[in-house]
Amino acid sequence: MSLLSVQTTSSTFEQERLYKRYEHLLQVNNSLSRKTVSYQANKSVPGLRWMKYKEGFSINLVSAILDEATKSEGCKERILDPFAGMGTVPLVSCGKGYSATGIEIMPVGIVATKGIVAASNGVRRSDFKRTANKLLEHISSDKGALTFNHLRITKGAFSQYTESQIVSATNFLSELRESPCKHILQLACMSVLEEVSYTRKDGQYLRWDGRADRTLRSSINKGKIPSFYNALSLRLLEIYTDFPHVKKLFGGKHPKVIENSCLRHLQLMNKNSYDLVIMSPPYANRYDYTRTYALELAFLGYSEDDVKTLRQDLLSATVENKSKAEELQQLYKNSSLFKNVMRAYREQEALQEILFTLEQHRKELSNQHVIRLIRNYFLEMSLVIAELGRIVSPGGTIYMVNDNVQYHGVEVPVDLILSNFAEQLGFTCENIWHLPKGKGNSSQQMGRFGRKEIRKCVYRWKNA
Ligand SMILES: C[S@@+](CC[C@H](N)C(=O)[O-])C[C@H]1O[C@@H](n2cnc3c(N)ncnc32)[C@H](O)[C@@H]1O
């Protein structure tokens, strides 16, 4: 056996048993594609195209789910997305006449949602045009000397000229009284930061252009980078053009947008207060939203400590996340709901088996905190599911988009484990659809453990 090969003495008995239990529900769904379950399909959709929130899912997916849920279960009135991102679910639902709530913890998503809501509900196009022109005038005439509030990982992201224009815009916005129009302008400014910077969002990282004032091991060339003024002018024009269309698409009912962690907020919601949940939580794949959106967080005034707190408050999906178990225990005291969650978590034998296998290979893992990540992820997700079991009315449905993951050649069947939690916590798992094409493993993992495709799924659970 070579030094790098993996011992396969750990049992996979429970994982196989779990697979057998759900095998009959696992189905390829040819109407699902990467484009549908991601932001890609929104690139030409008025409103949703204003901010590239790559983790969002498409208007088509939400519409298809709403249509199907309405057809098969009668009119669904009250819709919830506890991981709302840029608000695709509440926006599309309200546009179709339902009432909907989104909970989101990342201010980037909140600013985007509020901006789109403001344009679709309330702000007059002429008022927007007038204030947008004032913003542009201010930027072109202001010679303010204030500096941009950088985070450690954003230093050097802009040329001096661009940075001074961004600061001018921030000053203008801070002088503007709180109003729906301000939300649209804030979204517009935030949405062009990547474009005018020396960075590019690329998977887990910000890639850097060689022109940035940083010592770089490798660099990219972004080609011509527009000035903030020019990029913002184009975005404002796009918003102006989209105004009538967003009113048609998303106008009507006003979605409720809650800026909080759903881990804290769900317990404040009433029993049976929603009929349908459509959601896509972060995947258990180490992706760090605070790193990807560092420029936007810095623009919104986040300090290093604020970012650290935010990262810890996000659903645990990075190796940096510490356990929230104690905090949640305090929040829930000795409630029966929390006890049920702990029981379901401890009794999830396939999960315990996977954790045991990873423990045995702890020293070989690229990062040992992956084990903690998986533990935290499933504990927190089982709490979310238990709360949804209380909040969703009897007969109500949950649709969830999520990817399986793998570490050290061990596949973590997130779809099966979460569906099993759901069943332990009162739901019936009706379908686990997966995309015709799964996700390949990284080249490093492939070299070591062979090629493995992991499922990208949409699941449907019905509440008892
Ligand atoms: C996969 S994205 C969902 C995107 C969304 N479906 C959309 O269309 O924009 C997951 C979202 O969950 C949010 N999130 C992570 N932890 C959270 C928490 N504890 N409470 C609320 N939202 C959270 C992330 O900030 C991210 O926006």
Side-chain angles (χ1 to χ4, degrees), residues 53 55-57 85-86 88 104 106 261-262 280 289 313-315:
Y53 199 65
E55 304 70 24
F57 46 43
M86 66 178 292
T88 321
E104 172 57 51
M106 276 286 284
S261 166
C262 63
S280 172
Y289 285 82
D313 278 349
L314 283 155
L315 185 89

Side-chain angles (χ1 to χ4, degrees), residues 161-195:
Y161 182 61
T162 298
E163 198 159 299
S164 71
Q165 292 193 331
I166 299 172
V167 174
S168 289
T170 318
N171 292 344
F172 178 87
L173 289 173
S174 65
E175 297 287 310
L176 217 56
R177 67 178 172 78
E178 213 38 57
S179 70
C181 204
K182 179 172 172 175
H183 291 147
I184 312 177
L185 297 181
Q186 201 175 23
L187 158 60
C189 293
M190 185 180 76
S191 74
V192 299
L193 294 176
E194 179 187 2
E195 188 186 349

